[in-house]
Amino acid sequence: MIIWTSFIILVSIFLCLDLFVFNRNAHIIQTKEASKFTALWVGIALLFTGAVYFIYDGGYLANPDQLSGSGAAIKYLTGYLIELSLSIDNIFVIAVIFKSFSIDQKYQHRVLFWGIVGALVFRALMIFFGIALISEISWMTYIFGAFLLYTAFKMLKSNEEEFDPKTSKIYKFSRKLFPVTDRIEGQQFFIKKMGKRIATPLFLALVVIELTDILFALDSIPAILAITSDPFLVFSSNILAIMGLRSMYFFLANLLDKFQYIHYSLVAILAFVGVKMILVHHLHFPEWLSLAVIFVSLAVGALLSLRARKTDDVKKDQKDSSNTKKTLD
């Protein structure tokens, strides 16, 4: 338990530093600041690959799958990259939620922080039960694999659908539980008015983000279980990916519209992992293949997005030039 306890303490220290030191005062997180913290979190996660190698190579942790140090490091890295990739879709939804509830940028970090804390707890529970199911019922891998394929198909078909948090069942149910004010009251989640405890839009946004993350976890947890069922590797890769989600949100939020085909990259990744999970008892997929699929899918999506945007800019310039010429004539 020393390794587990040390990891949880380390994550707790990072969270305390984030909220009470680096972001003690509410402020708008600019792209430059977000990029630094994104690089920091990704760097920490990548450096942890070395720690994973050391832990498993030295036999300092229970190793049910008898993984070597290098094997465990590769599985951790693959799982982390999958979780990080799937988080991109989560960022799209978070941006829509903040916009829908008119949450000012300087208060968004506080909402995301507590959303991440809740996500850590819920995902830990889901990982525990997911691993238990796979360990006790071998055919659950087929169920998880089929679910991922269904999710990929649903994601492919729903790309053009607009998500409106205020029409969601989550939002409507929350308003029935407690009175709500439409005014933003600084960083407060609740205020007292006429002796009553009233929720602010920040709290409603937090609830929607929290429950939405649980829905995303239904995809991401089975995805990483297709890579490994080792509890520590699944937990650590998932948690470190989620820890960096806040800074990545502020870094990518204003850039997401430039990468319109990344959505299809995530569909490809989910579909591959689903197939891998269904065939896990019949066909061995080398770890390098999983890494290759992740990198190639994201690279192709990014390149196609940039190419499409460049084409749109050229057409816009041509149209503006044509309109200018007509005006002069």
Side-chain angles (χ1 to χ4, degrees), residues 16 22-23 27 34 46 58 65-66 70 98 116 129 134 177 181 189 225 232 237 266 270-271 292 296 303-304 321:
C16 289
F22 300 122
N23 294 283
H27 65 286
L46 294 179
D65 296 335
Q66 299 300 308
S70 58
F98 281 144
I116 294 302
F129 287 111
I134 287 180
L177 292 179
T181 177
F189 289 121
L225 289 176
F232 184 73
S237 59
L266 305 182
L270 276 179
V296 171
L303 289 173
L304 289 176
S321 177

Side-chain angles (χ1 to χ4, degrees), residues 20-85:
F20 300 112
V21 178
F22 300 122
N23 294 283
R24 181 173 54 184
N25 299 318
H27 65 286
I28 296 175
I29 298 179
Q30 303 293 345
T31 303
K32 185 177 180 180
E33 180 183 354
S35 63
K36 289 180 179 178
F37 277 99
T38 299
L40 176 64
W41 283 115
V42 173
I44 290 172
L46 294 179
L47 285 174
F48 194 73
T49 307
V52 169
Y53 176 87
F54 175 76
I55 291 169
Y56 282 81
D57 189 60
Y60 300 114
L61 189 68
N63 190 355
D65 296 335
Q66 299 300 308
L67 297 171
S68 63
S70 58
I74 292 175
K75 285 183 178 294
Y76 159 80
L77 184 60
T78 305
Y80 171 75
L81 290 175
I82 284 180
E83 292 300 321
L84 201 63
S85 301

Side-chain angles (χ1 to χ4, degrees), residues 182-199:
D182 293 330
R183 291 180 57 189
I184 301 290
E185 302 287 346
Q187 297 191 77
Q188 300 300 313
F189 289 121
F190 288 93
I191 59 170
K192 280 191 175 181
K193 196 172 184 180
M194 298 179 65
K196 291 184 178 180
R197 194 174 176 83
I198 303 175

Side-chain angles (χ1 to χ4, degrees), residues 10-300:
L10 184 65
V11 169
S12 301
I13 291 173
F14 285 152
L15 285 172
C16 289
L17 287 173
D18 193 344
L19 183 63
F20 300 112
V21 178
F22 300 122
N23 294 283
R24 181 173 54 184
N25 299 318
H27 65 286
I28 296 175
I29 298 179
Q30 303 293 345
T31 303
K32 185 177 180 180
E33 180 183 354
S35 63
K36 289 180 179 178
F37 277 99
T38 299
L40 176 64
W41 283 115
V42 173
I44 290 172
L46 294 179
L47 285 174
F48 194 73
T49 307
V52 169
Y53 176 87
F54 175 76
I55 291 169
Y56 282 81
D57 189 60
Y60 300 114
L61 189 68
N63 190 355
D65 296 335
Q66 299 300 308
L67 297 171
S68 63
S70 58
I74 292 175
K75 285 183 178 294
Y76 159 80
L77 184 60
T78 305
Y80 171 75
L81 290 175
I82 284 180
E83 292 300 321
L84 201 63
S85 301
L86 296 180
S87 294
I88 294 175
D89 216 37
N90 205 350
I91 291 174
F92 278 93
V93 176
I94 291 173
V96 173
I97 292 172
F98 281 144
K99 183 177 180 181
S100 176
F101 288 102
S102 302
I103 306 298
D104 195 283
Q105 284 188 342
K106 65 180 180 179
Y107 302 132
Q108 290 179 4
H109 180 275
R110 183 176 177 83
V111 177
L112 279 179
F113 176 87
W114 291 111
I116 294 302
V117 171
L120 296 180
V121 176
F122 285 118
R123 291 201 178 210
L125 293 173
M126 294 176 73
I127 288 170
F128 173 79
F129 287 111
I131 291 175
L133 281 173
I134 287 180
S135 300
E136 296 297 326
I137 310 173
S138 60
W139 50 263
M140 279 302 298
T141 55
Y142 302 123
I143 302 297
F144 284 162
F147 179 73
L148 289 177
L149 288 176
Y150 168 75
T151 302
F153 176 75
K154 190 176 179 181
M155 188 183 291
L156 181 66
K157 300 293 288 184
S158 64
N159 186 41
E160 298 301 325
E161 293 181 7
E162 290 291 334
F163 172 67
D164 184 4
K166 290 189 175 180
T167 62
S168 67
K169 294 180 180 179
I170 299 171
Y171 173 77
K172 293 177 181 178
F173 179 71
S174 298
R175 290 189 69 96
K176 291 179 181 179
L177 292 179
F178 34 72
V180 178
T181 177
D182 293 330
R183 291 180 57 189
I184 301 290
E185 302 287 346
Q187 297 191 77
Q188 300 300 313
F189 289 121
F190 288 93
I191 59 170
K192 280 191 175 181
K193 196 172 184 180
M194 298 179 65
K196 291 184 178 180
R197 194 174 176 83
I198 303 175
T200 67
L202 261 70
F203 183 74
L204 283 180
L206 174 62
V207 171
V208 176
I209 287 175
E210 197 71 71
L211 296 181
T212 302
D213 181 77
I214 293 176
L215 296 178
F216 275 101
L218 293 176
D219 304 333
S220 63
I221 299 301
I224 196 171
L225 289 176
I227 303 301
T228 178
S229 59
D230 183 285
F232 184 73
L233 295 181
V234 175
F235 182 74
S236 59
S237 59
N238 202 285
I239 296 308
L240 287 176
I242 291 299
M243 290 285 286
L245 181 60
R246 297 181 314 286
S247 55
M248 187 174 291
Y249 164 77
F250 292 108
F251 177 63
L252 292 177
N254 297 324
L255 302 176
L256 290 178
D257 60 331
K258 298 180 181 179
F259 296 94
Q260 55 184 322
Y261 290 110
I262 286 292
H263 185 83
Y264 298 104
S265 300
L266 305 182
V267 171
I269 292 172
L270 276 179
F272 170 77
V273 174
V275 170
K276 181 179 180 181
M277 207 160 200
I278 290 175
L279 300 178
V280 66
H281 298 303
H282 310 285
L283 185 64
H284 173 69
F285 289 82
E287 296 306 326
W288 64 263
L289 181 60
S290 299
L291 285 171
V293 169
I294 295 170
F295 279 118
V296 171
S297 298
L298 292 175
V300 170

